[in-house]
Amino acid sequence: LRARGVTLDALIRHYIFANEWTWRVLSPHQTGPASFQLVVLDVAGVKLTQVGGLRLDYLRAAAEIAQLAYPERTTAYVVINAPAWFSAAWRVVETILSAETRKRVAIRRAGRPTLDKLLELIEPHHIPACYGGTFAPGESIDAARKATPEEKAFKQYVDDINRAVVASSATPDL
């Protein structure tokens, strides 16, 4: 990532921007089912050599921000398609999380364990077909993600900000 010019500051700014949009625009509710989220992290294809440096720095910073600014907003984190080595990396990552957050994390291997856990938390029509659900707007998980109403609304929000910035030739205060 660093070789591509990505900085920790840029990653954190995006993380905060996306969370603030989620909680201020998409779902400003303070209570009830719309006041929390489920995070699904697909780690298929991730190599052990990729779990260090900037990526680990980002995980540490994002975990700290989430625990300070959004402590009760996430009901569960589901890590899916975890490779065999993932449990060793998890032992490092879990040390930066609070005990309360660690209780909310479920790690699943590929296949049936992933689908079973997702079905405990999500209705099948919201689970992409590539994970065993019935949501099938495209051929890939990326197509599925881009087809959600939430992702389309986020893209529109960012596009609107960019148009306003260009029109005013000002730098946005994000």
Side-chain angles (χ1 to χ4, degrees):
L1 291 173
R2 281 192 174 110
R4 294 183 181 149
V6 177
T7 65
L8 180 59
D9 182 59
L11 290 170
I12 295 303
R13 287 175 59 83
H14 175 75
Y15 175 79
I16 293 169
F17 180 82
N19 272 282
E20 289 299 314
W21 175 81
T22 298
W23 303 123
R24 292 180 186 209
V25 178
L26 177 65
S27 187
H29 310 285
Q30 295 298 312
T31 60
S35 68
F36 55 83
Q37 67 181 349
L38 164 70
V39 175
V40 178
L41 178 62
D42 187 347
V43 293
V46 175
K47 296 172 178 49
L48 181 57
T49 57
Q50 296 173 314
V51 185
L54 181 61
R55 289 172 183 91
L56 188 55
D57 292 344
Y58 170 73
L59 282 174
R60 284 186 178 121
E64 183 177 345
I65 291 165
Q67 291 174 102
L68 292 172
Y70 318 106
E72 301 302 321
R73 291 294 203 168
T74 302
T75 58
Y77 299 87
V78 183
V79 180
I80 62 173
N81 296 318
W85 58 262
F86 193 84
S87 60
W90 172 246
R91 286 192 289 276
V92 172
V93 172
E94 73 179 338
T95 64
I96 63 177
L97 303 174
S98 69
E100 197 57 40
T101 300
R102 284 194 304 269
K103 284 188 233 174
R104 296 181 189 149
V105 177
I107 300 169
R108 296 295 184 266
R109 299 285 303 222
R112 192 71 207 183
T114 283
L115 178 59
D116 288 347
K117 185 60 181 179
L118 293 176
L119 287 170
E120 284 177 30
L121 304 165
I122 308 168
E123 294 180 29
H125 68 277
H126 290 298
I127 300 172
C130 60
Y131 296 135
T134 58
F135 183 63
E139 295 298 317
S140 69
I141 188 59
D142 196 45
R145 180 185 56 80
K146 288 178 182 176
T148 66
E150 297 84 3
E151 189 69 24
K152 289 177 181 179
F154 185 65
K155 183 182 182 319
Q156 184 63 52
Y157 184 75
V158 171
D159 289 347
D160 291 347
I161 289 172
N162 287 337
R163 274 192 291 282
V165 168
V166 168
S168 70
S169 298
T171 304
D173 183 22
L174 305 176

